[in-house]
Amino acid sequence: DQAMLDYDGTPSKSKLGANAVLGVSMAVARAAADEVGLPLWRYLGGEQAQVLPTPLKNIINGGAHADSGLEIQEFMVVPHGFDSFSEALRAGAETFHSLKKLLQEAGHATGVGDEGGFAPHLSTNEEALSFVARAVEAAGYRPGEQISIALDCAASEFYDKKEVVYTFDKKPVDAAGLVKIYSDYCAKYPIVSIEDGMDENDWDGWKVQTETQGGSVQLVGDDLFVTNTERVQMGIDRGVANAILIKVNQIGSVTETLDTIRLGALHGYASIISHRSGETADTFIADLAVATNAGQIKTGSASRSERIAKYNQLLRIEEQLGDAAVYA
């Protein structure tokens, strides 16, 4: 990785191209693992790699991921109250299918969006939250105790930089007003994580949200941090967010990805290993999640083969670990 970074010599990898660098970086990591006869997760993580991540499963798609009319991009279920990854995965899948039945009964379409979640036309963001909460109960699970909710707001998509205002439920609202909406949601629904609740450059808004919710909710920077140590350091210095979304193709090499996870961990920031909306069937991130003991993964819903591929790989790793497997 360092040889490629030195040869390229640009901050954005514009000479070699970040996608080309990343493809080589991942291929070399796999080749090195094969050379020493280890599975990729063990090669990257060593003897300490044993934690299977809690999946944040995107079951309703909105925002840029679907033509549903909702500002919030992802409504996710978080099956944390289980003894093993495989049990949690099953519970998430059952919730996904109970949601489909509820949506059908209410007369909504059940086609899926980019990340495999349903994309119904709903009138408000809270209506989507209500469907998710009811789906958890309909699947036979206890909201907040066994399965909680996570949001990816992708607020940069509904922020007007000129007017310095957000549009939420099709109405203008400032950062403080948006934080109040999120807080009201958290009081009413078992929400444990909010990703990109503010625009990527609205540092003041992030500060308000972190001071208001940072002690009780996971606040995740994706567009804010872009898996970049410089951006993460800015967040640390300003005291905003408390978790980092980790996407290997945002930064462009496996080594830099590990550097970002390490920097966050040193300052108490959780890491969530993540797919992209435009995915392939490659399963590298499943191995990366276990290798780094990150404890959380975002890789889509319980549908679409490029999403299921990662879950299947995690099931294989759980089997390989046997009794040593720990579910986060």
Side-chain angles (χ1 to χ4, degrees):
D1 285 359
Q2 196 58 49
M4 288 189 288
L5 297 176
D6 290 344
Y7 182 82
D8 179 272
T10 69
S12 60
K13 302 177 181 63
S14 58
K15 186 175 179 182
L16 291 175
N19 285 340
V21 170
L22 180 62
V24 173
S25 178
M26 293 193 300
V28 168
R30 281 202 170 99
D34 287 346
E35 177 68 18
V36 294
L38 291 173
L40 180 61
W41 57 271
R42 180 65 79 197
Y43 171 74
L44 290 174
E47 284 299 314
Q48 299 304 311
Q50 65 182 128
V51 177
L52 274 296
T54 300
L56 281 63
K57 304 184 78 169
N58 178 4
I59 64 171
I60 292 184
N61 293 180
H65 288 176
D67 184 23
S68 63
L70 302 174
E71 285 92 3
I72 292 178
Q73 189 163 272
E74 299 176 26
F75 298 82
M76 296 167 276
V77 286
V78 187
H80 53 77
F82 299 89
D83 293 331
S84 69
F85 173 80
S86 48
E87 288 177 18
L89 185 63
R90 185 194 69 226
E94 289 170 351
T95 302
F96 174 73
H97 288 287
S98 73
L99 174 63
K100 181 176 183 177
K101 187 177 179 182
L102 288 174
L103 290 171
Q104 287 173 332
E105 288 172 352
H108 294 291
T110 52
V112 298
D114 283 355
E115 297 186 357
F118 301 115
H121 281 269
L122 303 174
S123 56
T124 66
N125 291 283
E126 187 171 357
E127 188 179 2
L129 272 171
S130 175
F131 266 109
V132 173
R134 283 184 285 138
V136 172
E137 292 179 325
Y141 297 105
R142 297 183 296 279
E145 190 175 327
Q146 291 177 299
I147 299 179
S148 294
I149 298 173
L151 304 175
D152 175 7
C153 301
S156 295
E157 299 290 334
F158 54 88
Y159 181 63
D160 187 325
K161 294 173 179 62
K162 288 183 180 178
E163 300 296 327
V164 195
V165 69
Y166 295 88
T167 300
F168 198 81
D169 283 337
K170 303 169 183 63
K171 299 171 187 173
V173 62
D174 63 9
L178 192 55
V179 171
K180 174 69 164 58
I181 292 170
Y182 295 152
S183 295
D184 290 345
Y185 284 171
C186 290
K188 196 170 179 181
Y189 301 94
I191 296 171
V192 293
S193 182
I194 300 175
E195 178 185 332
D196 282 345
M198 296 288 147
D199 175 73
E200 61 198 61
N201 291 309
D202 185 6
W203 291 99
D204 291 339
W206 272 100
K207 187 69 173 176
V208 171
Q209 187 182 16
T210 305
E211 289 176 348
T212 305
Q213 297 186 295
S216 57
V217 180
Q218 178 172 260
L219 301 177
V220 188
D222 173 18
D223 297 337
L224 178 71
F225 292 142
V226 291
T227 318
N228 184 299
T229 53
E230 291 182 12
R231 292 281 297 188
V232 171
Q233 188 62 57
M234 288 171 66
I236 292 164
D237 293 343
R238 296 179 187 221
V240 305
N242 53 31
I244 310 163
L245 202 74
I246 300 293
K247 294 175 175 173
V248 288
N249 80 333
Q250 277 181 330
I251 191 61
S253 75
V254 176
T255 299
E256 290 168 297
T257 302
L258 296 172
D259 288 344
T260 304
I261 295 170
R262 193 176 300 113
L263 176 63
L266 285 171
H267 294 274
Y269 282 63
S271 284
I272 305 163
I273 310 302
S274 177
H275 61 174
R276 302 305 302 264
S277 52
E279 258 298 336
T280 72
D282 183 81
T283 60
F284 189 95
I285 64 167
D287 287 74
L288 182 65
V290 178
T292 56
N293 291 324
Q296 297 179 79
I297 192 168
K298 276 183 66 180
T299 187
S301 187
S303 69
R304 296 182 63 117
S305 59
E306 76 277 10
R307 315 291 158 181
I308 300 299
K310 280 73 163 175
Y311 293 130
N312 285 340
Q313 176 66 356
L314 287 166
L315 289 172
R316 285 189 284 268
I317 295 172
E318 181 181 55
E319 192 173 71
Q320 290 166 358
L321 277 164
D323 291 342
V326 175
Y327 179 52

